[in-house]
Amino acid sequence: MNYELTQISPKTYEGNLIFLLGGDVAERNLPLGKKEAELLRERRAEKKDCIVRFDRLPYYTYIVSFDSEKPAAECQELLRRSADALRNMMIADKATDAGLSGEGVIPEEMIAFIEGLTLSDYSFDRYKTKQPEHIGTLAVDSRFFATDEFESNCKLWNRIFWCREWVNLPVQDLKAAQFADELASIASDLGVSCTVFNKRQIESLRMGGLLAVNRGSVDEPRFVVLEYKPANAVNSKPLALVGKGIMYDTGGLNIKPDDYMQEMKSDMAGAATMASALFAAADNELPVHVVALLPMTDNRPGFNAYAADDILSMYDGTTVEVINTDAEGRLILADAIAYAVKNYDPELIIDAATLTGAAVRAISTFGIAAMQQNADNPYNLLNIVGNQVYERLVQFPFWKEYDELIKSEVADIKNCGIAQAGTITAGKFLAHFAKEVPYIHLDIAGVAYFSKKQHYYNVGASGYGIRLLYAFMQTYDLLNK
Ligand code: BES
Ligand code: ZN
Ligand code: ZN
């Protein structure tokens, strides 16, 4: 999808026109005839949130009416979803190029609408021999935006597309080494520093968790560290973003049964999300010092695979009893979190991980299961911006009683607790490695990959969390006030 910022006069526009209609707007301002305006008024009287389509062959006029009295976040989400509904109409009408303008609409609402249209236009087409239809060019009325403001949004959406593409790629075509190379190449284009540790280097770092999970694999692991450090950073100690990079999760020797293995190519969504958020910050020169720490391997039941009962020695020296080889994400993340603590002295650590099926059972696909330790203030900010961008958090408790559930008889801790509260014990396991550093854990298992289309999220990888983290970094200076 291409965008053009240009002057649009709705009444005389030659082409398909999308017209957003917010408050009560005088009829004479609308690009409609008298009868059309009457019809629209009737439809709006029934329901303010509606799309009315006028056939003006060879073009169409789509009036997207919305209730601008709603709370801002709700109104913007409604516009994202209306954009998805509109996109379906446009594709059916073969009206793939269009101009966009409106009345009674503010720039934030306009952006939300374009965001919905953009995000809903993505599908994973790379392996299809026949390409599906997409939106061609959207000409946006330049009355609403300054060019750089508009472009910074486009860059963010582009990162979301990249994230989705990586997550959607099957493991046959994206192994740890390839993913690391890809990140290094983007980093070098952006002037972001990138260090890639190979297996030998990971061995010398003694990352016992990452190495154990990799033992059943024929492919090498990688540990990628990205660092974006602008001169005008508002933070003196970095923000550390840690992402789970399990390129494929078979479960290992505790192999996943039946169709539980399906979609496990998406188990590196945390790493893709964190890399994308950091790249978006660099694209738009946000004044925040950020590092991303991305441990990567697949989890397979090879001949030398790690086994239940193994006791691992982690990067920070903690010993871990393996109860289940399918609880592998926390093992590779633990090493990365410990590495961040020791080498970067971060002001805050956030991790994103498709960590537990229990998170999906608890809250389904409507948000992120979140936990925090020593991070009341940043958590509150993250929660607020999450509601604003509609990538929402649900806070799970981190009571000390849960710590008891992961104590081991034979090692310091174990990688699984009891059957209940699996999302929290997974988070608690990770929190152990964050030590005193303020820490937020985001379990994105329910939202990283959708089996069914969910509004402007098509089937497959969603990139959910990138807009959240980006908005958080945009407002990051509030934390130090
Ligand atoms: N990658 C899975 C979690 C997952 C499940 C993500 C469904 C997305 C959708 C994770 O590695 C895993 O297998 N977790 C186990 C943990 C258990 C063995 C304690 C789970 O949730 O069943
Ligand atoms: Zn697993
Ligand atoms: Zn996993």
Side-chain angles (χ1 to χ4, degrees), residues 68-387:
S68 51
E69 304 286 291
K70 286 201 176 91
E74 213 182 302
C75 179
Q76 288 168 27
E77 177 64 3
L78 184 122
L79 281 165
R80 284 184 204 99
R81 294 180 186 190
S82 306
D84 169 53
L86 180 77
R87 180 190 175 273
N88 292 338
M89 290 169 122
M90 291 167 71
I91 297 291
D93 290 343
K94 298 205 182 321
T96 47
D97 297 319
L100 171 65
S101 185
E103 280 277 346
V105 49
I106 56 175
E108 287 82 356
E109 291 163 347
M110 204 56 145
I111 280 292
F113 180 83
I114 303 170
E115 185 162 85
L117 197 65
T118 304
L119 296 181
S120 68
D121 196 47
Y122 172 87
S123 54
F124 184 54
D125 302 335
R126 203 187 272 233
Y127 295 84
K128 289 185 184 144
T129 50
K130 188 172 177 295
Q131 293 299 298
E133 286 291 325
H134 285 281
I135 304 287
T137 299
L138 184 73
V140 179
D141 194 336
S142 52
R143 269 190 304 144
F144 288 90
F145 311 104
T147 311
D148 23 327
E149 183 199 356
F150 187 73
E151 275 174 4
S152 67
N153 285 287
C154 298
K155 285 183 184 159
L156 175 63
W157 301 328
N158 206 27
R159 289 293 164 209
I160 296 175
F161 278 19
W162 270 108
C163 175
R164 290 176 175 183
E165 201 70 8
W166 291 328
V167 175
N168 282 326
L169 275 171
V171 65
Q172 65 181 43
D173 288 337
L174 193 70
K175 300 181 192 304
Q178 288 158 288
F179 191 26
D181 288 349
E182 175 103 341
L183 296 178
S185 130
I186 296 174
S188 105
D189 290 347
L190 278 174
V192 162
S193 86
C194 176
T195 313
V196 178
F197 297 90
N198 61 22
K199 182 169 175 183
R200 203 178 37 77
Q201 293 162 317
I202 296 167
E203 281 166 351
S204 32
L205 290 174
R206 296 175 176 275
M207 293 193 152
L210 180 53
L211 290 165
V213 176
N214 182 251
R215 261 172 34 201
S217 175
V218 290
D219 300 311
E220 278 210 4
R222 290 288 184 270
F223 177 50
V224 175
V225 180
L226 302 167
E227 182 166 15
Y228 165 62
K229 191 175 185 185
N232 60 347
V234 293
N235 50 339
S236 50
K237 299 202 294 179
L239 163 66
L241 303 177
V242 180
K244 173 175 173 182
I246 292 291
M247 306 309 294
Y248 197 81
D249 185 10
T250 66
L253 287 176
N254 292 105
I255 197 157
K256 288 185 182 290
D258 308 320
D259 55 1
Y260 282 87
M261 206 182 293
Q262 227 176 348
E263 301 179 355
M264 282 303 139
K265 65 177 182 180
S266 65
D267 215 21
M268 34 61 80
T273 303
M274 291 319 205
S276 303
L278 182 141
F279 288 149
D283 281 330
N284 290 327
E285 298 176 8
L286 295 189
V288 186
H289 178 193
V290 199
V291 281
L293 303 109
L294 315 169
M296 301 171 185
T297 174
D298 52 353
N299 180 27
R300 288 191 196 254
F303 289 117
N304 194 32
Y306 82 127
D309 296 340
D310 278 354
I311 297 173
L312 316 176
S313 174
M314 309 294 278
Y315 177 79
D316 73 348
T318 301
T319 57
V320 172
E321 177 191 4
V322 177
I323 301 292
N324 189 314
T325 62
D326 199 8
E328 82 299 334
R330 63 200 77 180
L331 298 174
I332 70 167
L333 288 164
D335 280 339
I337 291 172
Y339 185 89
V341 171
K342 179 153 181 231
N343 299 284
Y344 286 94
D345 186 24
E347 137 173 301
L348 170 68
I349 299 174
I350 306 180
D351 83 78
T354 46
L355 207 60
T356 63
V360 196
R361 289 192 290 278
I363 58 168
S364 186
T365 59
F366 306 123
I368 296 175
M371 285 137 260
Q372 62 93 4
Q373 173 171 283
N374 299 329
D376 283 329
N377 283 344
Y379 184 87
N380 288 340
L381 181 63
L382 192 68
N383 187 44
I384 290 169
V385 298
N387 288 329

